[in-house]
Short mmCIF file of all heavy atoms in Angstrom, two decimals:
data_model
loop_
_atom_site.label_atom_id
_atom_site.label_comp_id
_atom_site.label_asym_id
_atom_site.label_seq_id
_atom_site.Cartn_x
_atom_site.Cartn_y
_atom_site.Cartn_z
N ILE A 1 5.07 -4.37 -61.06
CA ILE A 1 4.67 -5.69 -61.52
C ILE A 1 5.35 -6.73 -60.65
O ILE A 1 6.51 -6.56 -60.26
CB ILE A 1 5.00 -5.90 -63.02
CG1 ILE A 1 4.35 -7.19 -63.55
CG2 ILE A 1 6.49 -5.85 -63.28
CD1 ILE A 1 4.29 -7.27 -65.06
N SER A 2 4.63 -7.78 -60.32
CA SER A 2 5.21 -8.86 -59.52
C SER A 2 5.90 -9.85 -60.45
O SER A 2 5.67 -9.85 -61.67
CB SER A 2 4.10 -9.58 -58.74
OG SER A 2 3.28 -10.34 -59.62
N ALA A 3 6.72 -10.69 -59.89
CA ALA A 3 7.39 -11.73 -60.68
C ALA A 3 6.36 -12.67 -61.31
O ALA A 3 6.51 -13.07 -62.47
CB ALA A 3 8.38 -12.50 -59.82
N LEU A 4 5.31 -13.00 -60.59
CA LEU A 4 4.27 -13.87 -61.14
C LEU A 4 3.56 -13.20 -62.31
O LEU A 4 3.34 -13.83 -63.36
CB LEU A 4 3.26 -14.27 -60.07
CG LEU A 4 2.13 -15.19 -60.51
CD1 LEU A 4 2.68 -16.49 -61.10
CD2 LEU A 4 1.20 -15.49 -59.34
N GLU A 5 3.23 -11.92 -62.17
CA GLU A 5 2.60 -11.19 -63.28
C GLU A 5 3.53 -11.12 -64.48
O GLU A 5 3.10 -11.26 -65.62
CB GLU A 5 2.21 -9.78 -62.83
CG GLU A 5 1.06 -9.74 -61.85
CD GLU A 5 0.89 -8.35 -61.23
OE1 GLU A 5 1.90 -7.67 -60.95
OE2 GLU A 5 -0.28 -7.97 -61.03
N GLN A 6 4.82 -10.90 -64.22
CA GLN A 6 5.79 -10.82 -65.30
C GLN A 6 5.89 -12.16 -66.03
O GLN A 6 5.92 -12.22 -67.25
CB GLN A 6 7.15 -10.42 -64.72
CG GLN A 6 8.20 -10.10 -65.73
CD GLN A 6 7.99 -8.79 -66.44
OE1 GLN A 6 7.24 -8.74 -67.39
NE2 GLN A 6 8.65 -7.76 -65.99
N ALA A 7 5.94 -13.27 -65.26
CA ALA A 7 6.03 -14.60 -65.88
C ALA A 7 4.77 -14.91 -66.68
O ALA A 7 4.84 -15.55 -67.75
CB ALA A 7 6.26 -15.67 -64.81
N THR A 8 3.62 -14.45 -66.22
CA THR A 8 2.37 -14.65 -66.96
C THR A 8 2.39 -13.88 -68.27
O THR A 8 2.01 -14.40 -69.32
CB THR A 8 1.17 -14.21 -66.09
OG1 THR A 8 1.15 -15.01 -64.91
CG2 THR A 8 -0.14 -14.36 -66.84
N PHE A 9 2.86 -12.64 -68.23
CA PHE A 9 2.98 -11.83 -69.44
C PHE A 9 3.94 -12.50 -70.43
O PHE A 9 3.66 -12.60 -71.63
CB PHE A 9 3.47 -10.42 -69.09
CG PHE A 9 3.71 -9.55 -70.28
CD1 PHE A 9 2.66 -8.92 -70.91
CD2 PHE A 9 4.99 -9.36 -70.77
CE1 PHE A 9 2.87 -8.11 -72.03
CE2 PHE A 9 5.22 -8.56 -71.88
CZ PHE A 9 4.16 -7.93 -72.51
N VAL A 10 5.07 -12.97 -69.93
CA VAL A 10 6.06 -13.64 -70.78
C VAL A 10 5.47 -14.89 -71.42
O VAL A 10 5.71 -15.18 -72.59
CB VAL A 10 7.33 -13.96 -69.96
CG1 VAL A 10 8.25 -14.92 -70.70
CG2 VAL A 10 8.07 -12.68 -69.62
N ALA A 11 4.67 -15.64 -70.67
CA ALA A 11 4.02 -16.83 -71.22
C ALA A 11 3.09 -16.46 -72.37
O ALA A 11 3.04 -17.16 -73.39
CB ALA A 11 3.24 -17.57 -70.12
N GLU A 12 2.36 -15.36 -72.23
CA GLU A 12 1.47 -14.92 -73.31
C GLU A 12 2.28 -14.53 -74.54
O GLU A 12 1.87 -14.82 -75.67
CB GLU A 12 0.59 -13.77 -72.83
CG GLU A 12 -0.44 -14.21 -71.81
CD GLU A 12 -1.23 -13.06 -71.21
OE1 GLU A 12 -0.93 -11.89 -71.52
OE2 GLU A 12 -2.14 -13.34 -70.42
N LEU A 13 3.42 -13.89 -74.33
CA LEU A 13 4.29 -13.55 -75.45
C LEU A 13 4.83 -14.82 -76.10
O LEU A 13 4.80 -14.96 -77.33
CB LEU A 13 5.45 -12.67 -74.98
CG LEU A 13 6.56 -12.40 -76.00
CD1 LEU A 13 6.01 -11.66 -77.21
CD2 LEU A 13 7.69 -11.62 -75.34
N ALA A 14 5.31 -15.75 -75.31
CA ALA A 14 5.88 -16.99 -75.83
C ALA A 14 4.85 -17.79 -76.63
O ALA A 14 5.19 -18.43 -77.63
CB ALA A 14 6.43 -17.84 -74.69
N ARG A 15 3.61 -17.74 -76.19
CA ARG A 15 2.53 -18.47 -76.89
C ARG A 15 1.87 -17.65 -77.99
O ARG A 15 0.90 -18.08 -78.59
CB ARG A 15 1.46 -18.88 -75.88
CG ARG A 15 1.91 -19.91 -74.89
CD ARG A 15 0.74 -20.33 -74.00
NE ARG A 15 1.19 -21.19 -72.94
CZ ARG A 15 1.15 -20.88 -71.64
NH1 ARG A 15 0.67 -19.72 -71.24
NH2 ARG A 15 1.60 -21.73 -70.75
N GLU A 16 2.39 -16.44 -78.21
CA GLU A 16 1.85 -15.53 -79.22
C GLU A 16 0.39 -15.21 -78.95
O GLU A 16 -0.44 -15.15 -79.85
CB GLU A 16 2.05 -16.08 -80.63
CG GLU A 16 3.50 -16.32 -80.97
CD GLU A 16 3.72 -17.00 -82.31
OE1 GLU A 16 2.75 -17.51 -82.92
OE2 GLU A 16 4.88 -17.02 -82.75
N GLU A 17 0.07 -14.97 -77.67
CA GLU A 17 -1.30 -14.69 -77.24
C GLU A 17 -1.53 -13.24 -76.84
O GLU A 17 -2.62 -12.90 -76.38
CB GLU A 17 -1.66 -15.59 -76.05
CG GLU A 17 -1.68 -17.06 -76.38
CD GLU A 17 -1.87 -17.94 -75.16
OE1 GLU A 17 -1.72 -17.45 -74.01
OE2 GLU A 17 -2.17 -19.13 -75.36
N LEU A 18 -0.54 -12.38 -77.01
CA LEU A 18 -0.74 -10.97 -76.68
C LEU A 18 -1.66 -10.34 -77.72
O LEU A 18 -1.69 -10.78 -78.87
CB LEU A 18 0.60 -10.24 -76.64
CG LEU A 18 1.53 -10.61 -75.49
CD1 LEU A 18 2.87 -9.90 -75.64
CD2 LEU A 18 0.90 -10.29 -74.14
N PRO A 19 -2.38 -9.30 -77.34
CA PRO A 19 -3.34 -8.68 -78.25
C PRO A 19 -2.67 -7.75 -79.27
O PRO A 19 -3.06 -6.59 -79.42
CB PRO A 19 -4.27 -7.92 -77.31
CG PRO A 19 -3.40 -7.55 -76.15
CD PRO A 19 -2.45 -8.71 -75.99
N VAL A 20 -1.65 -8.26 -79.95
CA VAL A 20 -0.98 -7.54 -81.02
C VAL A 20 -0.70 -8.52 -82.15
O VAL A 20 -0.77 -9.74 -81.97
CB VAL A 20 0.36 -6.89 -80.56
CG1 VAL A 20 0.11 -5.80 -79.54
CG2 VAL A 20 1.31 -7.91 -80.02
N ASP A 21 -0.37 -8.00 -83.29
CA ASP A 21 -0.07 -8.81 -84.46
C ASP A 21 0.98 -9.88 -84.12
O ASP A 21 2.00 -9.57 -83.51
CB ASP A 21 0.43 -7.90 -85.57
CG ASP A 21 0.51 -8.59 -86.91
OD1 ASP A 21 0.99 -9.73 -86.98
OD2 ASP A 21 0.11 -7.96 -87.90
N VAL A 22 0.73 -11.10 -84.52
CA VAL A 22 1.64 -12.21 -84.27
C VAL A 22 3.03 -11.93 -84.86
O VAL A 22 4.05 -12.31 -84.26
CB VAL A 22 1.05 -13.54 -84.80
CG1 VAL A 22 2.08 -14.66 -84.78
CG2 VAL A 22 -0.18 -13.93 -84.01
N GLN A 23 3.09 -11.25 -85.99
CA GLN A 23 4.39 -10.93 -86.59
C GLN A 23 5.24 -10.08 -85.65
O GLN A 23 6.46 -10.25 -85.58
CB GLN A 23 4.21 -10.20 -87.91
CG GLN A 23 3.68 -11.09 -89.02
CD GLN A 23 3.46 -10.29 -90.28
OE1 GLN A 23 2.70 -9.32 -90.30
NE2 GLN A 23 4.15 -10.70 -91.34
N HIS A 24 4.63 -9.17 -84.91
CA HIS A 24 5.36 -8.34 -83.96
C HIS A 24 5.87 -9.18 -82.79
O HIS A 24 6.99 -8.98 -82.31
CB HIS A 24 4.49 -7.19 -83.44
CG HIS A 24 4.05 -6.25 -84.51
ND1 HIS A 24 4.93 -5.55 -85.31
CD2 HIS A 24 2.81 -5.89 -84.91
CE1 HIS A 24 4.25 -4.80 -86.16
NE2 HIS A 24 2.96 -4.99 -85.94
N GLN A 25 5.05 -10.12 -82.33
CA GLN A 25 5.47 -11.00 -81.25
C GLN A 25 6.62 -11.90 -81.70
O GLN A 25 7.57 -12.14 -80.94
CB GLN A 25 4.29 -11.83 -80.77
CG GLN A 25 3.22 -10.97 -80.10
CD GLN A 25 1.99 -11.75 -79.73
OE1 GLN A 25 2.01 -12.46 -78.73
NE2 GLN A 25 0.94 -11.63 -80.53
N ARG A 26 6.58 -12.34 -82.94
CA ARG A 26 7.67 -13.18 -83.47
C ARG A 26 8.95 -12.37 -83.64
O ARG A 26 10.04 -12.89 -83.40
CB ARG A 26 7.25 -13.81 -84.79
CG ARG A 26 6.20 -14.90 -84.58
CD ARG A 26 5.78 -15.55 -85.86
NE ARG A 26 4.74 -16.54 -85.57
CZ ARG A 26 3.90 -17.02 -86.45
NH1 ARG A 26 3.96 -16.62 -87.72
NH2 ARG A 26 2.99 -17.91 -86.10
N ALA A 27 8.83 -11.13 -84.02
CA ALA A 27 10.01 -10.27 -84.14
C ALA A 27 10.66 -10.07 -82.77
O ALA A 27 11.89 -10.13 -82.64
CB ALA A 27 9.64 -8.93 -84.77
N LEU A 28 9.85 -9.85 -81.76
CA LEU A 28 10.38 -9.70 -80.41
C LEU A 28 11.02 -10.99 -79.94
O LEU A 28 12.08 -10.99 -79.32
CB LEU A 28 9.27 -9.25 -79.45
CG LEU A 28 9.71 -8.95 -78.03
CD1 LEU A 28 10.83 -7.91 -78.01
CD2 LEU A 28 8.53 -8.48 -77.22
N ARG A 29 10.40 -12.09 -80.26
CA ARG A 29 10.95 -13.40 -79.93
C ARG A 29 12.35 -13.54 -80.50
O ARG A 29 13.28 -13.99 -79.81
CB ARG A 29 10.01 -14.47 -80.49
CG ARG A 29 10.50 -15.87 -80.39
CD ARG A 29 9.57 -16.79 -81.23
NE ARG A 29 10.00 -18.13 -81.17
CZ ARG A 29 9.60 -19.02 -80.26
NH1 ARG A 29 8.75 -18.65 -79.32
NH2 ARG A 29 10.06 -20.24 -80.26
N ASP A 30 12.54 -13.15 -81.75
CA ASP A 30 13.86 -13.22 -82.39
C ASP A 30 14.88 -12.37 -81.63
O ASP A 30 16.03 -12.75 -81.50
CB ASP A 30 13.78 -12.78 -83.84
CG ASP A 30 13.01 -13.74 -84.73
OD1 ASP A 30 12.80 -14.92 -84.32
OD2 ASP A 30 12.60 -13.32 -85.83
N LEU A 31 14.46 -11.20 -81.16
CA LEU A 31 15.35 -10.31 -80.41
C LEU A 31 15.74 -10.89 -79.05
O LEU A 31 16.82 -10.60 -78.54
CB LEU A 31 14.70 -8.95 -80.20
CG LEU A 31 14.50 -8.08 -81.43
CD1 LEU A 31 13.65 -6.87 -81.09
CD2 LEU A 31 15.84 -7.67 -82.01
N LEU A 32 14.87 -11.69 -78.48
CA LEU A 32 15.08 -12.21 -77.14
C LEU A 32 15.79 -13.56 -77.10
O LEU A 32 16.11 -14.05 -76.01
CB LEU A 32 13.74 -12.34 -76.40
CG LEU A 32 12.98 -11.03 -76.16
CD1 LEU A 32 11.63 -11.30 -75.53
CD2 LEU A 32 13.79 -10.08 -75.31
N LEU A 33 16.06 -14.16 -78.25
CA LEU A 33 16.72 -15.46 -78.27
C LEU A 33 18.11 -15.35 -77.66
O LEU A 33 18.94 -14.57 -78.11
CB LEU A 33 16.82 -16.00 -79.71
CG LEU A 33 17.44 -17.38 -79.85
CD1 LEU A 33 16.62 -18.45 -79.13
CD2 LEU A 33 17.60 -17.73 -81.32
N VAL A 34 18.36 -16.16 -76.63
CA VAL A 34 19.64 -16.17 -75.93
C VAL A 34 20.51 -17.31 -76.43
O VAL A 34 21.70 -17.13 -76.68
CB VAL A 34 19.43 -16.30 -74.40
CG1 VAL A 34 20.75 -16.46 -73.67
CG2 VAL A 34 18.64 -15.12 -73.86
N GLU A 35 19.92 -18.49 -76.55
CA GLU A 35 20.68 -19.66 -76.98
C GLU A 35 19.75 -20.72 -77.53
O GLU A 35 18.58 -20.78 -77.17
CB GLU A 35 21.52 -20.24 -75.84
CG GLU A 35 20.69 -20.88 -74.74
CD GLU A 35 21.51 -21.41 -73.57
OE1 GLU A 35 22.41 -20.68 -73.11
OE2 GLU A 35 21.24 -22.52 -73.13
N GLU A 36 20.32 -21.53 -78.39
CA GLU A 36 19.61 -22.69 -78.91
C GLU A 36 20.47 -23.92 -78.70
O GLU A 36 21.68 -23.87 -78.93
CB GLU A 36 19.35 -22.54 -80.41
CG GLU A 36 18.26 -21.57 -80.76
CD GLU A 36 17.93 -21.60 -82.23
OE1 GLU A 36 18.57 -20.82 -82.96
OE2 GLU A 36 17.05 -22.38 -82.62
N GLY A 37 19.87 -24.97 -78.26
CA GLY A 37 20.56 -26.25 -78.11
C GLY A 37 19.79 -27.30 -78.86
O GLY A 37 18.75 -27.02 -79.47
N PRO A 38 20.28 -28.53 -78.83
CA PRO A 38 19.60 -29.59 -79.57
C PRO A 38 18.17 -29.86 -79.08
O PRO A 38 17.33 -30.32 -79.85
CB PRO A 38 20.49 -30.81 -79.39
CG PRO A 38 21.43 -30.48 -78.29
CD PRO A 38 21.49 -29.00 -78.17
N HIS A 39 17.91 -29.55 -77.80
CA HIS A 39 16.60 -29.87 -77.23
C HIS A 39 15.91 -28.68 -76.58
O HIS A 39 14.92 -28.85 -75.86
CB HIS A 39 16.72 -31.01 -76.22
CG HIS A 39 17.37 -32.22 -76.78
ND1 HIS A 39 16.74 -33.03 -77.71
CD2 HIS A 39 18.60 -32.76 -76.58
CE1 HIS A 39 17.56 -34.02 -78.04
NE2 HIS A 39 18.70 -33.88 -77.38
N HIS A 40 16.45 -27.46 -76.79
CA HIS A 40 15.82 -26.32 -76.15
C HIS A 40 16.15 -25.03 -76.92
O HIS A 40 17.11 -24.95 -77.66
CB HIS A 40 16.29 -26.18 -74.70
CG HIS A 40 17.66 -25.59 -74.57
ND1 HIS A 40 18.81 -26.29 -74.82
CD2 HIS A 40 18.07 -24.33 -74.22
CE1 HIS A 40 19.86 -25.52 -74.64
NE2 HIS A 40 19.45 -24.31 -74.27
N GLN A 41 15.29 -24.05 -76.67
CA GLN A 41 15.53 -22.66 -77.06
C GLN A 41 15.30 -21.83 -75.82
O GLN A 41 14.31 -22.02 -75.10
CB GLN A 41 14.58 -22.20 -78.17
CG GLN A 41 14.87 -22.80 -79.52
CD GLN A 41 13.95 -22.19 -80.56
OE1 GLN A 41 12.74 -22.22 -80.43
NE2 GLN A 41 14.56 -21.62 -81.60
N HIS A 42 16.21 -20.89 -75.58
CA HIS A 42 16.15 -20.07 -74.38
C HIS A 42 16.03 -18.60 -74.80
O HIS A 42 16.84 -18.11 -75.59
CB HIS A 42 17.44 -20.32 -73.57
CG HIS A 42 17.60 -19.42 -72.40
ND1 HIS A 42 18.82 -19.20 -71.82
CD2 HIS A 42 16.73 -18.68 -71.68
CE1 HIS A 42 18.69 -18.37 -70.81
NE2 HIS A 42 17.43 -18.05 -70.71
N PHE A 43 15.02 -17.93 -74.26
CA PHE A 43 14.74 -16.53 -74.57
C PHE A 43 14.78 -15.75 -73.26
O PHE A 43 14.29 -16.22 -72.24
CB PHE A 43 13.35 -16.38 -75.20
CG PHE A 43 13.17 -17.20 -76.44
CD1 PHE A 43 12.81 -18.54 -76.36
CD2 PHE A 43 13.38 -16.64 -77.68
CE1 PHE A 43 12.65 -19.30 -77.50
CE2 PHE A 43 13.22 -17.40 -78.84
CZ PHE A 43 12.86 -18.73 -78.74
N GLY A 44 15.34 -14.55 -73.28
CA GLY A 44 15.36 -13.78 -72.04
C GLY A 44 15.87 -12.38 -72.22
O GLY A 44 16.38 -11.99 -73.27
N ARG A 45 15.74 -11.62 -71.13
CA ARG A 45 16.16 -10.22 -71.13
C ARG A 45 16.36 -9.79 -69.68
O ARG A 45 15.59 -10.15 -68.80
CB ARG A 45 15.06 -9.37 -71.77
CG ARG A 45 15.32 -7.90 -71.81
CD ARG A 45 16.27 -7.55 -72.91
NE ARG A 45 16.33 -6.11 -73.03
CZ ARG A 45 17.43 -5.45 -73.28
NH1 ARG A 45 18.55 -6.08 -73.45
NH2 ARG A 45 17.41 -4.14 -73.37
#
């Protein structure tokens, strides 16, 4: 996978647009949360 393909996949996950139940995408989102600030949330792996 290229970095561009990976970033596109991540965008679909972030927007809850993957072809799986939204609850599963939200659960993964919770696992990937790195930090929260007053004006941002950062997710990564």
Side-chain angles (χ1 to χ4, degrees):
I1 190 163
S2 71
L4 181 57
E5 290 169 323
Q6 189 73 277
T8 300
F9 176 80
V10 167
E12 291 174 356
L13 171 62
R15 292 185 187 115
E16 300 174 348
E17 296 173 345
L18 291 175
V20 294
D21 191 316
V22 170
Q23 289 178 301
H24 298 301
Q25 293 175 78
R26 288 180 182 160
L28 185 55
R29 173 190 180 90
D30 292 342
L31 292 171
L32 297 176
L33 182 63
V34 174
E35 69 182 46
E36 286 188 270
H39 305 290
H40 77 284
Q41 288 185 304
H42 173 201
F43 303 84
R45 179 78 171 141

